[in-house]
Amino acid sequence: MSFSSEVDRMAERALRQLALPPGLREQILACNSIVRVQFPVQLDDGSWRVFLGWRAIHSEHLQPAKGGIRYNELVSLDEVTALAALMTCKCAIVNVPFGGAKGGVRLDPRDYSEGELERITRRYARELINRGYIIPGTDVPAPDMGTGPREMAWIADTYRRVYPQDVNYFACVTGKPVGSGGIPGRVEATGRGVQVVIREFLSEAEDARRVGLGGLAGARVAVQGLGNVGFHAAKFLEEEDEARITVIIERDGALIDDKGLSVAAVRAWKDEHGGVRGYPQAQYLEDGQACLARDCDILLLAATEGQVTEHNAADIRARLIVEAANGPVTTAADEQLRARGVLILPDAFVNAGGVTVSYFEWIKNLAHIRFGRLERRLDELRMQRVIEALEALTGKTLPPQLRRDLTTESDELTLVRSGLEDTMRMAWQEVRETWLGEGLEDPRSAAWLVAMRKVAQSYETTGL
Ligand code: NAD
């Protein structure tokens, strides 16, 4: 089954449970628009190469439509369409008022110099802008696999050159560097959101028992994919929750250490050597895929789609699977794992931390002001007055640390983190209540039901 058919199946299953007016189900499932672009770019050696890319806007029940841009050699129309539909679902679950979209260019970014990638990115952006895509009010991309803040800055700059009169040009794309209209905390937001969901899940003793865990401290975690999402999620789990990262699987093999790997050290090695092979402080196994079946408590899938399939599902030993990547477990595998009592926290909301902070960035770009700028000093002065009044009334002096804690104003990063944590916790609680309260099979079915209800309600309110 293709990736987009798998996503459609999840949506259909949820929509069947809703009483909808005729035609609405079809509209929710439909991908509203897709553009395919082919464009030439000159490479450093003077030759020309033609690149193939897409942008799909799945839903516009709310605008802008939002979704990342992927650079990967396997990007296809089917993949982009599936990922756009997943974005519709994700935004609805975390109550981010956006439709769903996705874009991609078929290329391996490792094959190109920085200058070539800049020319490719700017040209791809021009192709989309010229066709009415990438506009602050209708279609706002973000980073995904193979792209990051650098590419987003190039896209914003390209848009500004086409529309120099648009004062909101920064809001045409999110995930930009902080110095170029970005927001602190966006780079690590998806990984941070993954950590929040796992923590929140395990905070319910009943849920923790389902997967045989008492908490995160000492839990053995196997991670596939040490890119943006996998690296940050694993690093936070290791450094802040004392989880043991016992397996790291990358494209060129896997590293194993039952005592726990240093995520930062492995990432530094990977960045320097282009892979994990040769890392000196762990056992190395060439067949990374086979290591998905290593004994562990949590399997954190943060690479790409279709990694756990009907061929290897029976071998998986983790009792909790976390889908930090999009679509890493196929439908067939999902059924097998569910039958064996393996619990899956699904992509449909687990990796929504990125789009949540993208939403904050977009608001900041439209407001043209940093969060907290107006009230920061006022809050500090007010708190000082409260402390003075309290001390005058009691005749006692507050301990210096407490005084500092109360008067230290919140910076933008603190506000972003707090907003992200709150959003992810609320999302999980809503999914959990639907899962257990309505007697659904698993969190995935609940997540899709929550999303489809909200999308349908939005269409019903505003009309098709
Ligand atoms: P990335 O390009 O930064 O990292 C991907 C990592 O996975 C790389 O280190 C790559 O070498 C590795 N990898 C790729 N294929 C692999 C394989 N078959 N086996 C082992 N390792 C493999 O990408 P990312 O941004 O971290 O995205 C990862 C996943 O998370 C994707 O599915 C993406 O759609 C999803 N996601 C990303 C974001 C975001 O904010 N970046 C947000 C939501 C979802």
Side-chain angles (χ1 to χ4, degrees):
M1 207 193 288
S2 69
F3 189 13
S4 65
S5 310
E6 303 225 342
V7 173
D8 281 352
R9 208 164 114 161
M10 296 311 309
E12 275 172 18
R13 210 165 77 175
L15 288 167
R16 270 200 297 274
Q17 297 176 59
L18 305 178
L20 300 176
L24 184 50
R25 180 181 152 278
E26 286 70 24
Q27 168 51 29
I28 293 174
L29 288 170
C31 185
N32 285 8
S33 86
I34 299 169
V35 64
R36 172 183 182 274
V37 289
Q38 262 183 296
F39 53 90
V41 173
Q42 190 165 27
L43 304 182
D44 292 345
D45 65 4
S47 67
W48 291 83
R49 185 163 301 168
V50 176
F51 293 88
L52 177 58
W54 292 269
R55 181 88 182 148
I57 295 194
H58 176 261
S59 64
E60 292 160 299
H61 63 293
L62 295 170
Q63 283 186 304
K66 194 88 188 70
I69 289 178
R70 179 175 284 199
Y71 284 178
N72 187 269
E73 63 277 24
L74 299 176
V75 164
S76 67
L77 172 61
D78 182 78
E79 181 183 69
V80 168
T81 314
L83 292 168
L86 259 176
M87 283 304 296
T88 298
C89 174
K90 215 175 289 188
C91 292
I93 296 174
V94 291
N95 295 316
V96 162
F98 292 146
K102 204 78 181 190
V105 181
R106 186 177 289 168
L107 63 86
D108 185 341
R110 293 172 302 177
D111 294 344
Y112 299 94
S113 69
E114 184 167 358
E116 289 170 337
L117 285 171
E118 177 168 0
R119 294 197 289 282
I120 294 165
T121 304
R122 286 183 180 277
R123 182 63 194 255
Y124 171 64
R126 275 300 280 259
E127 294 290 328
L128 295 182
I129 293 165
N130 289 344
R131 290 168 173 80
Y133 292 77
I134 312 189
I135 295 183
T138 55
D139 174 31
V140 180
D144 190 69
M145 216 168 152
T147 61
R150 181 184 65 174
E151 285 74 13
M152 301 307 115
W154 291 331
I155 292 174
D157 187 60
T158 305
Y159 176 87
R160 186 167 64 105
R161 284 160 197 262
V162 178
Y163 296 113
Q165 73 282 14
D166 187 350
V167 68
N168 293 323
Y169 73 91
F170 265 147
C172 76
V173 67
T174 58
K176 302 176 293 292
V178 177
S180 308
I183 195 164
R186 173 60 184 90
V187 172
E188 67 271 30
T190 308
R192 176 69 74 189
V194 172
Q195 176 202 28
V196 172
V197 172
I198 299 175
R199 275 183 180 175
E200 198 61 15
F201 170 78
L202 291 175
S203 71
E204 290 283 348
E206 183 194 347
D207 293 342
R209 264 199 307 277
R210 279 179 221 277
V211 296
L213 280 172
L216 268 169
R220 296 163 307 153
V221 183
V223 185
Q224 187 197 34
L226 206 62
N228 178 309
V229 178
F231 164 66
H232 286 108
K235 181 170 171 285
F236 296 146
L237 291 171
E238 178 205 354
E239 293 177 359
E240 298 172 12
D241 299 305
E242 295 170 40
R244 264 186 299 151
I245 312 300
T246 53
V247 184
I248 291 179
I249 305 166
E250 256 295 327
R251 288 184 204 242
D252 65 333
L255 299 176
I256 320 282
D257 185 347
D258 289 339
K259 292 197 292 297
L261 293 146
S262 159
V263 175
V266 175
R267 174 64 191 244
W269 181 272
K270 174 183 167 265
D271 288 348
E272 195 184 336
H273 299 89
V276 294
R277 187 194 296 265
Y279 179 74
Q281 280 140 36
Q283 184 191 357
Y284 168 78
L285 295 175
E286 193 160 353
D287 188 353
Q289 192 72 13
C291 293
L292 292 170
R294 298 279 307 192
D295 195 18
C296 65
D297 299 307
I298 302 174
L299 179 57
L300 179 63
L301 299 169
T304 187
E305 60 261 25
Q307 296 303 300
V308 180
T309 66
E310 70 266 39
H311 304 299
N312 61 356
D315 305 327
I316 301 294
R317 286 194 261 174
R319 287 176 66 184
L320 176 62
I321 296 182
V322 181
E323 291 187 325
N326 284 311
V329 178
T330 64
T331 311
D334 186 84
E335 279 163 17
Q336 282 187 35
L337 290 161
R338 229 178 318 130
R340 282 178 37 214
V342 177
L343 198 128
I344 303 179
L345 293 175
D347 51 2
F349 68 92
V350 163
N351 63 32
V355 74
T356 301
V357 176
S358 275
Y359 170 47
F360 302 156
E361 180 179 332
W362 183 73
I363 294 171
K364 173 183 169 175
N365 292 155
L366 293 176
H368 297 269
I369 189 165
R370 178 181 87 223
F371 286 110
R373 178 170 172 174
L374 284 185
E375 57 273 43
R376 222 164 92 125
R377 181 75 181 131
L378 185 63
D379 286 349
E380 189 189 341
L381 290 174
R382 278 218 180 107
M383 199 43 88
Q384 256 164 17
R385 302 247 161 78
V386 171
I387 292 170
E388 280 159 21
L390 198 66
E391 289 181 342
L393 276 173
T394 60
K396 289 183 181 154
T397 309
L398 286 188
Q401 184 56 46
L402 181 58
R403 188 176 248 278
R404 264 197 303 278
D405 288 348
L406 290 172
T407 50
T408 303
E409 68 286 355
S410 303
D411 57 16
E412 199 172 31
L413 179 60
T414 312
L415 292 170
V416 165
R417 274 200 194 154
S418 146
L420 170 63
E421 192 174 327
D422 185 55
T423 303
M424 298 308 292
R425 292 180 65 208
M426 298 301 289
W428 166 242
Q429 286 310 333
E430 190 175 5
V431 169
R432 185 176 189 275
E433 272 162 33
T434 308
W435 169 38
L436 300 174
E438 299 187 31
L440 296 179
E441 236 174 322
D442 59 352
R444 193 192 303 280
S445 317
W448 276 93
L449 186 58
V450 165
M452 292 301 104
R453 264 190 193 133
K454 290 183 191 173
V455 175
Q457 201 176 32
S458 170
Y459 272 119
E460 282 179 318
T461 314
T462 55
L464 294 179

